[in-house]
Amino acid sequence: MRAAISPRSSRRHGTHTARTPESTLSSDGPAAARALSVALASHNGARYLEEQLRSILDQTVLPREIVLADDDSRDGTVDLARAVVGDTLPLRILEHRPALGVRENFSRAIAHTEGDLIALCDQDDRWHPTRVERALDYYAARPGTELLFTNARMVDTAGMPLGYTLFDALEFGAEERALIQSGRGAEAFLRRNLATGATVTLRRTLFDRAAPIPDPWIHDEWLAVIAAARGSVSFLDEPLIDYRQHDSNQIGMRKPGLRVKIDRVLEPRGDRNRTLARRTDLLVEALARPELEVPADILARARGKQRMERFRAELPTTRIRRLLPVLGEARRGDYARFTSQGRLEILRDLLQPA
């Protein structure tokens, strides 16, 4: 059965007593813990879900609730969740048949939370014990933050460390870090997404402003770029989860080698550029909404990105006919300003087969 998205005021509130060690809490104390909900999306997640749930139940500060949105699981995922959580925390379950897909499933989970802060959660990862505590402390100290993303330790199927972090895999560099830290995160996020949903905690007010999340965007990247445009995105260079990599990841992240980068340049273009243009059109339309209160210079920058992506979508299919327009665009500097990999994107537009 599909669960309808309803306002928080119409939903039943659950209560619990959270563990709140006084030495580790902000001045908000136990009330702060009750402000954070967990939005967990699942799909045939029984293999890893128990480990993930137990890592949530082992937090130094417990969240107020878990909202589990299940996308047509047929492996006992929902029954497992009920058995593991028991009466330790309020557990609200939304069962979707047929499956809605990652974006809509997460949107439903977020919409049904009751906390002022929402920690996003994948079914197959493992939280470090202080994830909730660190998020609460960060938001208490920085009330202007609307979305916080963190680093993660990359692990294999068995949960063993792979020897690198999520930020390593993303090649999250000094320039992008400085932009975010100086309140200019939009310049980085208009190039590419840097916030992996499994590490994200956001304010409920951000979701209410940014919803609905349009196709073909994914929930985490949409919420992050909206927050960045509002100057309210932050990061912690601290691994607060183990991010599991395996063949069935719906959305994963592996450290890219040179061969991977070359393959990306040479893979057929297909609908990629048209999809990027469509995504940017939807973003500009959203950022222009008065209720988002996006500064005029950021909206102008987003429109520059829109022009760039429309240009790329209309490039000729024949490589030789792309040469002059692509080189001309490169001289303008918009590849550096607006694309995810700058010079590599120039090569991609020059060399990719249509």
Side-chain angles (χ1 to χ4, degrees):
M1 182 192 313
R2 291 195 182 194
I5 296 179
S6 57
R8 285 181 290 175
S9 60
S10 68
R11 295 195 296 277
R12 184 178 66 228
H13 288 253
T15 60
H16 72 281
T17 301
R19 292 171 289 165
T20 53
E22 294 301 326
S23 62
T24 59
L25 286 181
S26 69
S27 59
D28 291 324
R34 293 195 295 272
L36 188 144
S37 297
V38 177
L40 195 165
S42 64
H43 172 68
N44 291 330
R47 181 178 180 185
Y48 300 110
L49 183 62
E50 180 173 356
E51 186 177 10
Q52 175 65 297
L53 288 171
R54 293 200 183 281
S55 76
I56 296 172
L57 301 181
D58 286 340
Q59 291 292 297
T60 55
V61 179
L62 287 177
R64 67 173 293 161
E65 64 176 351
I66 299 172
V67 176
L68 172 65
D70 183 75
D71 225 15
D72 199 17
S73 290
R74 303 303 173 111
D75 65 348
T77 289
V78 171
D79 290 340
L80 174 64
R82 290 193 179 103
V84 173
V85 176
D87 60 1
T88 307
L89 282 177
L91 174 66
R92 184 180 295 112
I93 294 175
L94 315 172
E95 296 188 71
H96 303 135
R97 292 193 174 91
L100 303 178
V102 173
R103 173 180 49 83
E104 186 60 19
N105 198 36
F106 257 111
S107 293
R108 297 288 181 103
I110 296 168
H112 281 80
T113 59
E114 297 186 357
D116 295 325
L117 297 175
I118 304 160
L120 303 186
C121 182
D122 288 353
Q123 65 188 11
D124 49 4
D125 299 326
R126 180 172 58 214
W127 286 12
H128 296 187
T130 59
R131 180 183 175 185
V132 170
E133 178 187 329
R134 294 290 287 124
L136 291 170
D137 286 347
Y138 194 95
Y139 276 94
R142 299 165 182 81
T145 298
E146 291 187 306
L147 186 141
L148 172 69
F149 66 99
T150 78
N151 208 343
R153 180 171 61 179
M154 309 300 284
V155 301
D156 65 13
T157 301
M160 299 302 294
L162 291 169
Y164 62 96
T165 70
L166 175 60
F167 285 0
D168 292 334
L170 287 168
E171 298 182 329
F172 182 28
E175 179 193 0
E176 291 169 322
R177 293 167 187 251
L179 287 171
I180 294 169
Q181 290 167 336
S182 66
R184 297 163 57 201
E187 295 180 35
F189 277 84
L190 283 174
R191 295 178 197 155
R192 63 174 184 142
N193 181 47
L194 295 160
T196 300
T199 75
V200 162
T201 306
L202 64 136
R203 291 195 187 275
R204 173 60 189 245
T205 51
L206 172 66
F207 176 76
D208 290 341
R209 287 188 177 104
I213 299 167
D215 185 28
W217 285 85
I218 301 297
H219 60 287
D220 52 1
E221 57 185 2
W222 178 258
L223 294 167
V225 74
I226 297 294
R230 290 170 49 79
S232 59
V233 68
S234 298
F235 72 92
L236 265 178
D237 192 357
E238 182 178 338
L240 294 179
I241 72 166
D242 286 347
Y243 190 34
R244 197 186 307 265
Q245 299 298 287
H246 52 82
D247 291 341
S248 57
N249 280 103
Q250 287 190 281
I251 300 174
M253 178 61 64
R254 286 178 167 81
K255 192 172 183 179
L258 178 60
R259 182 68 213 177
V260 171
K261 294 179 180 180
I262 293 172
D263 288 344
R264 287 175 183 168
V265 167
L266 297 178
E267 68 186 0
R269 182 170 57 179
D271 289 331
R272 178 180 183 268
N273 287 7
R274 286 187 291 273
T275 298
L276 289 173
R278 173 63 179 153
R279 282 161 49 98
T280 311
D281 287 344
L282 291 167
L283 177 62
V284 169
E285 181 181 328
L287 296 183
R289 299 202 309 252
E291 62 269 25
L292 282 184
E293 299 177 327
V294 172
D297 63 316
I298 301 302
L299 182 56
R301 193 173 188 92
R303 286 179 170 141
K305 164 82 168 179
Q306 182 181 39
R307 188 205 64 79
M308 176 65 178
E309 296 300 355
R310 286 178 175 176
F311 160 80
R312 300 181 73 196
E314 295 167 3
L315 282 171
T317 57
T318 307
R319 289 190 182 101
I320 191 65
R321 293 179 59 206
R322 296 181 219 156
L323 181 60
L324 290 180
V326 168
L327 293 179
E329 196 68 25
R331 283 195 295 271
R332 287 171 55 95
D334 281 355
Y335 275 96
R337 276 189 288 271
F338 298 126
T339 67
S340 60
Q341 297 182 81
R343 292 177 181 175
L344 279 178
E345 295 293 337
I346 296 171
L347 290 176
R348 188 190 298 236
D349 284 350
L350 287 172
L351 301 177
Q352 269 191 326

